[in-house]
Amino acid sequence: MFTEEETLTDNNLYAPDRNRKTNLNDVKEFMDKHYNEPLSIGSLAQMANISPKYFVDLFKETYGQSAMEYLTDLRMNRAKRYLAETDERLREIAIKVGYRDEFYFSRKFKKEVGLAPSDYAKNFRRRIAANSPSMIGHLLALHVIPAAAPLHPKWTPYYYHVYHTKIKSHLKLTFPYTDRTFEANLDQLSQDRPDAIIGTDGLSPMERAKLEDIASCLLVPTDVDWREQLRMTARFLHKEDRAEQWIGQYDRKVLAARTQIGEAMGYDNILLLRIYRQDIHLYENRGLEEVLYRDLKLKPACRTDGGPCNAPLAPERLAELNPDRILVVVCPEASSRRFWLALQHSPEWRQLQAVNNGHVYPISADPWFEYSATAIARMLDEALLLFTGKCPNAFPENVHGKSCDA
């Protein structure tokens, strides 16, 4: 059996600078980075250029706990993450957080946390139910595969085809979403007995109360952007670091994509259209706007200026706009598809600059109509593919479900 004090050595420590003033922040930062190494009061005091006794007193006075208590907290917090987020063996985790003896680590963990490591891992990995498709997208960004979620081969084709065997319980997803659908899902959730339910805030007080009778609930507000929605979900699941990693990775992808798309498109403007029945409509939604205009800095040929986001567009107005590039989504019902086929052969359409240059890009509702972290990342990838011909693959573990918590 080993204690922190018995494993402490002077190995792997930086030589002290005798001319440097006492700086506990440097010592504390060193501990933050080297918590998994053998550390001693004597060596840490030497780094601070003070005696061990004075170091002990000064550290506790400055930070409110002893250096060894702080080191233990560092190790326990890191161990919690390994237990919650990986399937590594106890011995491997013990070594990674600075304990050579897994049995001593196990006893230490139980003393500090109140649970044995195996019990902590079991309790932390809660079975989460997603009550909307967008919540599937946020959970996958956090590497969590929900135990229950609404899946449909038509309305959520990506989630359905990639995750239908991994998501064990399939809730109903119909449009419009009726009281009957909600009650059916409520019955299913009652049978599934999830540990928590995550959805959006569009539920009535009665619906929310019924869900809370089944499990603790997080209902994410829809009036905040996807980053904040992801962060709120992460806080609920104690996965804040994963949210920040996702956002940071996305932001880096945006910078790279913005450069590549800018080189391919130059100063071309872009128009978003939706074909519905016998009409052409201007189209905007939150995800499209944020990815194309805010993140990629593309130039819109026309904006709705706060008006209806699905406003009809007369052929004369379309000719007047004469956009450089067009993104078009065609509604799946038969009359819309027939109109779209006829439109492509019409003189008015064939005279457009975007059509003549081969810059018309059909897009689908999935992912362009969904607002979640995963959908936004997929939109960015698709935009890069459409405008440059390059096929990105920067989120492979999330796209294919690897490294996720079931």
Side-chain angles (χ1 to χ4, degrees):
M1 180 182 75
F2 299 94
T3 66
E4 279 93 343
E5 289 77 12
E6 289 171 332
T7 61
L8 301 174
T9 72
D10 293 335
N11 296 333
N12 302 322
L13 293 176
Y14 301 132
D17 179 359
R18 296 295 181 185
N19 297 318
R20 192 180 69 180
K21 293 182 179 179
T22 299
N23 190 339
L24 290 184
N25 283 334
D26 289 346
V27 176
K28 185 168 175 285
E29 289 178 6
F30 182 87
M31 295 172 71
D32 291 343
K33 296 177 181 178
H34 299 268
Y35 63 87
N36 60 322
E37 299 176 8
L39 301 177
S40 72
I41 291 295
S43 298
L44 296 174
Q46 190 179 25
M47 291 180 63
N49 283 327
I50 55 178
S51 70
K53 184 179 185 309
Y54 183 46
F55 173 81
V56 169
D57 294 339
L58 186 60
F59 194 100
K60 187 162 188 177
E61 179 183 342
T62 304
Y63 299 112
Q65 63 180 153
S66 72
M68 288 302 103
E69 288 170 340
Y70 180 70
L71 177 61
T72 296
D73 283 348
L74 287 175
R75 291 174 169 176
M76 293 299 110
N77 288 336
R78 181 58 61 172
K80 287 178 184 178
R81 291 188 55 188
Y82 283 126
L83 289 165
E85 299 174 9
T86 74
D87 293 318
E88 294 188 42
R89 305 174 99 174
L90 190 61
R91 175 170 173 75
E92 295 169 341
I93 294 174
I95 292 172
K96 283 188 173 184
V97 300
Y99 297 95
R100 289 178 291 178
D101 187 325
E102 64 182 288
F103 301 106
Y104 173 71
F105 162 69
S106 183
R107 290 193 295 271
K108 184 74 171 175
F109 188 93
K110 186 171 184 179
K111 177 183 176 183
E112 298 295 331
V113 179
L115 289 172
S118 57
D119 291 335
Y120 181 87
K122 181 180 179 181
N123 289 342
F124 191 91
R125 292 179 183 176
R126 295 178 291 172
R127 298 177 67 256
I128 307 300
N131 203 35
S132 70
S134 62
M135 287 302 107
I136 303 175
H138 287 314
L139 289 172
L140 292 177
L142 299 173
H143 297 193
V144 175
I145 297 177
L151 292 179
H152 192 283
K154 178 179 179 180
W155 302 114
T156 60
Y158 171 74
Y159 297 139
Y160 181 85
H161 291 297
V162 178
Y163 293 101
H164 75 278
T165 60
K166 299 179 177 70
I167 298 174
K168 304 303 181 183
S169 178
H170 298 182
L171 303 180
K172 292 186 179 297
L173 178 66
T174 58
F175 292 97
Y177 194 79
T178 63
D179 291 341
R180 192 172 178 180
T181 304
F182 177 81
E183 292 298 330
N185 285 341
L186 200 68
D187 292 340
Q188 183 66 51
L189 288 171
S190 296
Q191 295 175 30
D192 295 338
R193 300 179 64 186
D195 299 306
I197 301 170
I198 299 179
T200 55
D201 63 351
L203 299 177
S204 69
M206 181 179 294
E207 290 173 332
R208 176 168 184 161
K210 289 181 178 179
L211 286 179
E212 289 176 339
D213 285 341
I214 298 173
S216 63
C217 292
L218 172 68
L219 298 181
V220 177
T222 55
D223 59 353
V224 298
D225 69 13
W226 69 266
R227 287 174 172 82
E228 183 56 27
Q229 291 180 6
L230 182 64
R231 287 182 172 121
M232 292 178 68
T233 306
R235 285 194 293 270
F236 183 73
L237 298 176
H238 307 291
K239 295 181 180 290
E240 293 91 339
D241 287 350
R242 282 191 175 175
E244 296 309 319
Q245 288 169 6
W246 175 275
I247 292 169
Q249 187 178 8
Y250 175 79
D251 289 341
R252 288 189 293 273
K253 278 190 61 184
V254 165
L255 293 177
R258 189 185 299 162
T259 299
Q260 295 178 62
I261 290 174
E263 292 172 352
M265 290 184 59
Y267 295 99
D268 287 358
N269 61 38
I270 187 169
L271 188 67
L272 308 180
L273 298 178
R274 182 171 180 257
I275 306 299
Y276 179 59
R277 294 185 177 174
Q278 308 299 314
D279 290 309
I280 305 170
H281 299 259
L282 286 176
Y283 185 72
E284 291 180 3
N285 69 35
R286 199 174 181 185
L288 276 163
E289 287 228 331
E290 290 182 10
V291 172
L292 298 179
Y293 302 145
R294 186 189 69 186
D295 295 341
L296 294 177
K297 308 295 184 186
L298 300 183
K299 180 183 177 183
C302 180
R303 302 296 294 271
T304 60
D305 298 324
C309 68
N310 200 22
L313 187 66
E316 303 81 34
R317 177 58 176 156
L318 181 58
E320 180 184 329
L321 291 171
N322 198 20
D324 300 312
R325 296 174 187 255
I326 296 173
L327 258 64
V328 58
V329 58
V330 181
C331 292
E333 35 74 47
S335 61
S336 298
R337 294 199 301 270
R338 284 196 299 269
F339 178 74
W340 168 236
L341 289 173
L343 178 65
Q344 293 175 79
H345 294 283
S346 69
E348 296 85 2
W349 180 261
R350 295 168 70 102
Q351 290 173 5
L352 294 174
Q353 182 173 231
V355 177
N356 285 322
N357 292 334
H359 290 160
V360 176
Y361 312 97
I363 62 173
S364 61
D366 178 42
W368 296 93
F369 285 14
E370 184 190 322
Y371 192 70
S372 74
T374 295
I376 290 289
R378 291 179 60 217
M379 289 180 210
L380 184 67
D381 285 348
E382 288 203 10
L384 189 62
L385 179 60
L386 289 175
F387 299 134
T388 71
K390 298 178 180 179
C391 185
N393 192 25
F395 288 87
E397 62 190 68
N398 303 297
V399 168
H400 300 295
K402 297 177 182 177
S403 302
C404 286
D405 303 332

